[in-house]
Each structure stands twice: as structure tokens, then as C-alpha cells.
Amino acid sequence: MAFDLPNDFRCPISLEIMSDPVILQSGHTFDRVSIQQWIDSGNRTCPITKLPLSETPYLIPNHALRSLILNFAHVSLKESSRPRTQQEHSHSQSQALISTLVSQSSSNASKLESLTRLVRLTKRDSSIRRKVTESGAVRAALDCVDSCNQVLQEKSLSLLLNLSLEDDNKVGLVADGVIRRIVAVLRVGSPDCKAIAATLLTSLAVVEVNKATIGSYPDAISALVSLLRVGNDRERKESATALYALCSFPDNRKRVVDCGSVPILVEAADSGLERAVEVLGLLVKCRGGREEMSKVSGFVEVLVNVLRNGNLKGIQYSLFILNCLCCCSGEIVDEVKREGVVEICFGFEDNESEKIRRNATILVHTLLGIPMSS
């Protein structure tokens, strides 16, 4: 039986799978042929415990173990002859694709085909994502990002994005130099490549140390802000999402503000991009952000419009931003009152969101000069 059977199925003497297991009086099990040879050679001790045996040792058939061995062998035989599962097929397929991708002799067309299929395989299968990473294919994918072929670049970015779904890969990708490639794509890539690159930054920024690394990387934040200003709808949404992820790290807020992002974010919020309001909700926590917001003409009207027509998240952040600005400026308090915000806040008393109710209450107290009770 050439199957990978448990060691307990092997005879302690011959180390072969037992065909007729028997129990010695010491309680240990051996294959009948092996233990009988031991006894016939004049041994009267247990081969394992070395304890003495009777003059005529009695061998008790171990029917339970024999049945287990036979059943296990039967199952193993069926396993070896069954068709491969979809997962097994995918793993086998991925190995060939990886080999093509990393080969120096592969053409761009071959690499593109491998990347396209690997993107499909890694989208949902965590084990294949780990396999691709451990195989050294990341370096080959990064080289493809440097390619002038936009289709090859797009597929390699998509593969890297899938690989970044594994938390263990996020720091490794940054260490391998993915940020430099992303920044280059954000500057000169195709619209689709730029959007994927921004999404990849968002995924990498889930890890705290990456937020600091990305934020301090030259041009990373300014490239996102530029994309937010001139990109299409998808590019703007993905760049705003990446900025939001980065701004959860306090040191990055000043960097984002210093790139001239506030007027661009306000304009984006005015055009209906509510993710921009969420970014502003983080930037308002730093003094530079508050100062820049107070300079943008019409900003209060934009926030009030979100209060009237936005989603729950946008309303929550708009209330928070208004409260922060009102705490620093009497002029903004007067403007917010003129926009009817007190009445709008009263309308949030029964809102389903506890955060909205709380933020609305705090803003009303700020506007009316009523101290909050402890």
C-alpha cells in the first residue's frame, strides 16, 4: 500500500503498513509476521517496553485497527483516482502562469495572457494570492507596471491590487518598490490605470506603517490631489478614497492641506462627490485645514447642501466640520445661522444615526452659545 497513511498504521518493528495487526500482552500492536519472527527468535520481552512476556505470548487480533487500515487505504485509492477539484486545477494552472510571467524569454503577449488569467484566479482565492507572492512573481509584475504597454500595465496593477488584499503582502509590496510605480502611473498612466493605482494605494494604506511611508513619499499625495482635480468620475472617487485612507494618519493631514487640496475637495463636494466631504472631515482636525476651509468662498453653502441632500456619512461629517469651524470663527457662526442650520439640526433629532444626532446637538449648542452638559 503505497499511500500516505498515518504512522500509527505502521508496525514498530518493520515500519511497514500492517496487514494483520495483533496486540501483544504489553498492550502494543505489531504486524503478526514481524512479532512472530521476534518471538520465534527466542525473545521474551516486548520490543517497545522491554517488559518480560510469558513463555508462550498470546497474540490478540486487532480487528478495529485492521478495519481502519483497510478503509483508509480504500479512501486513499479513491482520492488518487478521482478527477482534480476546481481548486486543485486552479493551483496547477497558476503555477504555469507564474512560470510564464517570470520567464525572461516570455513575450509581452504571453505575459499579458498570464497576467489576465492570474488576475482572475487571485481575485477570490487567498491561497493562490499567497502562492503568487511566494513565487517571486511580484517583481515580474512590478516590471510590467514600468512597461509602455498600457494594457500590460493595467493587468499588472490589477494583479498587485489583488495580492494586496492579503494583509501579509501589504508591507512587502511597499518594500518591493510599488509606491514608486504607483506615483508614476498616477502622473502619466491611462485613466483606468490611474484609477487602479489609486485603489491600490487605498488597499496598502490599511496598514498603519504604510500610511506614513506613502504620505512621506515624494509626490504621492500631490499626485492624488492632482488626479482629484483633473480626473474623470472614477479617478476622482478613487483618489478621494485614497486620500481619506491616508488622512486617518494625523501627520498626513498637513501634507494633504499643503498640496492645495482644500479648494479642490470643496469643489468636488459641491459636484456631488461626498467622499470629498469625508476627507475634509479629517482635514478639519488640523489647524491648517481649518484655516484653508475658512478662506474658501461658498464652503458653508456646500456643507449645508450636503446636510439637506447628502447621505448619512456626508451629513455626519458636514455637521462635524461646521462645528469645528464655528468654534474658531464668529463670522462663520453668523453665516451658518443665516443658512438655517439650527433648524436643520433640530430636524435630525429623530435621525437613525446616533452620530448624526450627537453632532447635530453639539452644533446647535455651539451656534446658540449653550454649554454642553457633562
Side-chain angles (χ1 to χ4, degrees):
M1 288 181 278
F3 305 112
D4 186 18
L5 300 181
N7 287 332
D8 289 345
F9 291 0
R10 298 182 183 277
C11 174
I13 297 174
S14 68
L15 301 181
E16 299 294 332
I17 301 299
M18 293 181 279
S19 59
D20 187 8
V22 293
I23 305 171
L24 200 59
Q25 63 192 71
S26 64
H28 290 277
T29 298
F30 303 87
D31 200 16
R32 183 184 292 276
V33 172
S34 298
I35 192 63
Q36 191 64 59
Q37 288 176 348
W38 170 268
I39 295 170
D40 291 345
S41 298
N43 296 297
R44 289 298 179 270
T45 58
C46 172
I48 295 177
T49 65
K50 306 303 180 184
L51 294 175
L53 302 174
S54 63
E55 187 60 30
T56 55
Y58 185 66
L59 304 178
I60 304 172
N62 192 335
H63 296 298
L65 181 57
R66 187 172 188 274
S67 177
L68 273 176
I69 293 172
L70 290 173
N71 286 334
F72 202 104
H74 178 67
V75 171
S76 297
L77 183 62
K78 288 178 64 178
E79 285 289 310
S80 66
S81 62
R82 69 174 172 77
R84 288 187 300 175
T85 65
Q86 182 62 43
Q87 184 181 45
E88 289 168 336
H89 178 71
S90 296
H91 276 266
S92 175
Q93 186 182 40
S94 67
Q95 187 56 58
L97 297 173
I98 291 168
S99 298
T100 300
L101 180 61
V102 301
S103 173
Q104 296 292 329
S105 61
S106 296
S107 65
N108 279 355
S110 298
K111 289 182 178 180
L112 178 58
E113 173 66 17
S114 294
L115 283 167
T116 301
R117 294 168 69 183
L118 282 172
V119 168
R120 235 175 4 247
L121 290 171
T122 56
K123 189 170 185 179
R124 295 184 178 85
D125 195 323
S126 177
S127 62
I128 294 183
R129 289 197 290 267
R130 290 194 296 271
K131 182 176 182 179
V132 172
T133 305
E134 293 165 0
S135 71
V138 169
R139 177 58 54 187
L142 289 171
D143 290 341
C144 290
V145 176
D146 290 332
S147 170
C148 297
N149 184 321
Q150 290 187 345
V151 180
L152 195 64
Q153 190 178 74
E154 180 184 341
K155 291 302 179 183
S156 57
L157 284 167
S158 297
L159 177 60
L160 292 169
L161 176 59
N162 287 352
L163 297 182
S164 74
L165 298 176
E166 298 295 314
D167 286 347
D168 291 344
N169 290 343
K170 295 182 191 294
V171 175
L173 286 170
V174 172
D176 285 335
V178 72
I179 304 302
R180 176 179 69 80
R181 273 82 170 190
I182 290 175
V183 172
V185 171
L186 289 173
R187 291 295 189 193
V188 297
S190 68
D192 286 341
C193 286
K194 288 180 179 180
I196 297 170
T199 307
L200 180 51
L201 277 185
T202 302
S203 178
L204 295 173
V206 168
V207 177
E208 203 70 14
V209 67
N210 282 353
K211 294 175 185 177
T213 304
I214 297 168
S216 60
Y217 194 93
D219 296 331
I221 287 177
S222 62
L224 286 171
V225 173
S226 177
L227 188 62
L228 180 65
R229 180 172 57 86
V230 300
N232 60 30
D233 287 348
R234 181 188 175 196
E235 292 171 296
R236 292 166 70 234
K237 179 181 178 181
E238 296 302 338
S239 62
T241 302
L243 288 170
Y244 180 80
L246 291 171
C247 286
S248 64
F249 183 68
D251 289 356
N252 285 337
R253 294 167 192 164
K254 184 178 185 303
R255 293 168 178 149
V256 173
V257 171
D258 290 345
C259 286
S261 65
V262 170
I264 297 169
L265 286 163
V266 173
E267 183 180 348
D270 191 30
S271 67
L273 182 60
E274 292 193 331
R275 178 66 79 181
V277 180
E278 297 173 26
V279 180
L280 290 165
L282 295 178
L283 297 184
V284 78
K285 295 180 179 181
C286 71
R287 186 175 66 179
R290 293 190 293 272
E291 290 174 351
E292 290 301 311
M293 290 176 206
S294 64
K295 297 175 185 176
V296 179
S297 176
F299 183 35
V300 170
E301 289 91 330
V302 171
L303 294 178
V304 171
N305 183 56
V306 175
L307 292 182
R308 290 195 170 104
N309 305 302
N311 61 24
L312 294 179
K313 202 82 168 180
I315 293 171
Q316 173 193 325
Y317 275 101
S318 293
L319 290 168
F320 178 74
I321 295 168
L322 287 171
N323 186 64
C324 291
L325 295 178
C326 287
C327 287
C328 303
S329 169
E331 292 181 6
I332 294 181
V333 168
D334 294 337
E335 184 179 359
V336 171
K337 284 182 178 178
R338 287 196 300 272
E339 291 291 332
V341 171
V342 173
E343 291 76 11
I344 294 174
C345 287
F346 286 146
F348 292 138
E349 287 181 348
D350 297 323
N351 193 275
E352 62 187 89
S353 168
E354 190 273 333
K355 289 183 178 179
I356 287 179
R357 296 196 303 272
R358 185 177 71 247
N359 284 356
T361 299
I362 294 171
L363 181 55
V364 167
H365 280 72
T366 300
L367 292 173
L368 300 181
I370 303 172
M372 288 287 294
S373 58
S374 56

